[in-house]
């Protein structure tokens, strides 16, 4: 199977369209979205509906939960909170129900998906360093866990001696004796100082993970953020990739 796994679209339609076009050339069998479909940019409805059409494996992010009234917005910074409140006003009852229907964790024998971390996924903690990774590795029933949330792509690798390393070289060939936590980065708001949209391809037959980047029309995303009256910082940061 070839999986197209992506996260943190954040209502950025031009970025999502660029990634879906790139996936068409990857012969993807199944898509998976690790949450934060909405929040920040100006096209929440279009992003929800495009992702729904993929019939992907889905887990919820903190922005999805907040826009579906499942998470209090006091946990968000003022700019994120303003975008969530704006997004909530755009969404239909049906679109909100869709966001509400997403689980926090997906798990099968091949891999796990969670937006933040496996210990209390409802708290949406960040998995940034080796200590966070260690806790997550201990809770993994499969050898691979895909995450999002930090918007920074990278892979934590645990060897048979429980040593953990961090790699950002792709494609990555998987060893059956190791475990992996793969942050697929962000489609719609990358924060690793690379403004290109980030997406992952996992080939489970060949045991290879690739994280790729694609250019998209940043100006178009920015213009729609300005036109919607959303905070201008949300447009400016897209060009800087942070
Ligand atoms: Zn996010």
């Amino acid at each position: 199977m070839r999986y197209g796994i992506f996260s943190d679209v954040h209502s950025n339609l031009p970025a999502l369209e660029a990634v879906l076009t790139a996936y068409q050339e990857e012969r993807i069998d199944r898509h998976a979205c690790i949450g934060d479909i909405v929040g920040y940019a100006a096209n929440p409805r279009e992003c929800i509906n495009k992702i729904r059409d993929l019939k992907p494996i889905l887990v919820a992010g903190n922005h999805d939960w907040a826009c579906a009234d499942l998470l209090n917005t006091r946990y968000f910074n003022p700019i994120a909170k303003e975008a969530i409140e704006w997004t909530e006003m755009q969404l239909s009852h049906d679109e909100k129900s869709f966001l509400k229907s997403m689980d926090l964790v997906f798990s099968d024998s091949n891999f796990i998906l969670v937006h933040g971390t496996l210990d209390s996924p409802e708290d949406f903690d960040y998995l940034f360093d080796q200590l966070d990774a260690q806790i997550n590795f201990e809770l993994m029933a499969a050898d691979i866990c895909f995450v999002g949330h930090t918007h920074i792509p990278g892979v934590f690798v645990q060897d048979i001696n429980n040593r953990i390393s961090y790699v950002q070289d792709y494609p990555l060939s998987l060893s059956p004796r190791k475990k992996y936590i793969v942050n697929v980065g962000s489609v719609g708001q990358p924060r690793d100082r690379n403004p290109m949209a980030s997406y992952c391809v996992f080939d489970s037959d060949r045991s290879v993970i690739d994280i790729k980047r694609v250019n998209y029309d940043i100006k178009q995303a920015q213009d729609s953020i300005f036109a919607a009256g959303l905070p201008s910082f949300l447009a400016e940061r897209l060009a800087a990739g942070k």
Side-chain angles (χ1 to χ4, degrees):
M1 282 278 271
R2 283 175 66 79
Y3 295 92
I5 306 178
F6 61 96
S7 190
D8 295 274
V9 172
H10 284 293
S11 304
N12 185 337
L13 183 63
L16 176 61
E17 285 176 331
V19 166
L20 295 183
T21 300
Y23 274 147
Q24 279 171 8
E25 280 148 40
E26 296 281 356
R27 306 180 323 278
I28 297 299
D29 300 301
R30 188 89 205 264
H31 293 86
C33 173
I34 322 179
D36 278 1
I37 295 171
V38 299
Y40 294 137
N43 296 98
R45 308 190 66 181
E46 295 89 337
C47 289
I48 287 173
N49 291 310
K50 276 209 179 293
I51 290 170
R52 267 176 120 162
D53 288 345
L54 297 173
K55 300 191 172 33
I57 307 166
L58 281 166
V59 294
N62 48 323
H63 289 254
D64 305 319
W65 262 33
C67 291
D69 301 320
L70 293 171
L71 192 64
N72 195 306
T73 54
R74 72 186 150 97
Y75 299 109
F76 291 83
N77 71 54
I79 287 176
K81 190 175 163 179
E82 189 176 333
I84 286 163
E85 285 163 359
W86 179 88
T87 303
E88 271 198 88
M89 288 192 294
Q90 314 301 314
L91 299 181
S92 68
H93 178 76
D94 176 59
E95 287 155 354
K96 272 194 185 185
S97 299
F98 167 74
L99 294 180
K100 261 191 189 133
S101 72
M102 298 195 288
D103 288 331
L104 286 171
V105 179
F106 168 85
S107 183
D108 71 8
S109 56
N110 288 319
F111 59 82
I112 301 163
L113 304 175
V114 65
H115 188 67
T117 64
L118 285 174
D119 57 313
S120 61
E122 69 280 6
D123 290 335
F124 300 102
D125 291 327
Y126 290 92
L127 202 162
F128 267 125
D129 57 23
Q130 302 207 346
L131 192 62
D132 302 331
Q134 175 72 45
I135 295 165
N136 212 75
F137 276 122
E138 283 167 16
L139 295 168
M140 283 166 54
D143 289 341
I144 312 167
C145 179
F146 293 94
V147 301
H149 200 30
T150 65
H151 299 205
I152 296 171
V155 184
F156 289 97
V157 185
Q158 186 184 52
D159 68 17
I160 48 166
N161 298 313
N162 291 336
R163 275 192 300 255
I164 297 173
S165 55
Y166 183 67
V167 296
Q168 289 177 301
D169 297 319
Y170 320 107
L172 179 66
S173 290
L174 306 181
S175 157
R177 296 154 69 93
K178 294 178 180 174
K179 287 184 160 193
Y180 301 87
I181 298 169
V182 182
N183 192 313
V184 300
S186 170
V187 172
Q189 196 193 82
R191 293 180 192 159
D192 59 348
R193 296 182 185 272
N194 176 352
M196 297 166 84
S198 180
Y199 63 101
C200 174
V201 177
F202 170 41
D203 189 318
S204 62
D205 299 327
R206 292 172 56 235
S207 291
V208 174
I209 284 171
D210 208 353
I211 296 178
K212 298 185 168 189
R213 307 301 282 260
V214 63
N215 275 311
Y216 72 95
D217 192 340
I218 292 176
K219 171 113 182 8
Q220 191 188 337
Q222 291 176 319
D223 286 347
S224 56
I225 288 170
F226 292 131
L230 285 158
S232 57
F233 172 67
L234 294 173
E236 289 151 12
R237 68 186 303 173
L238 295 179
K242 63 175 189 171

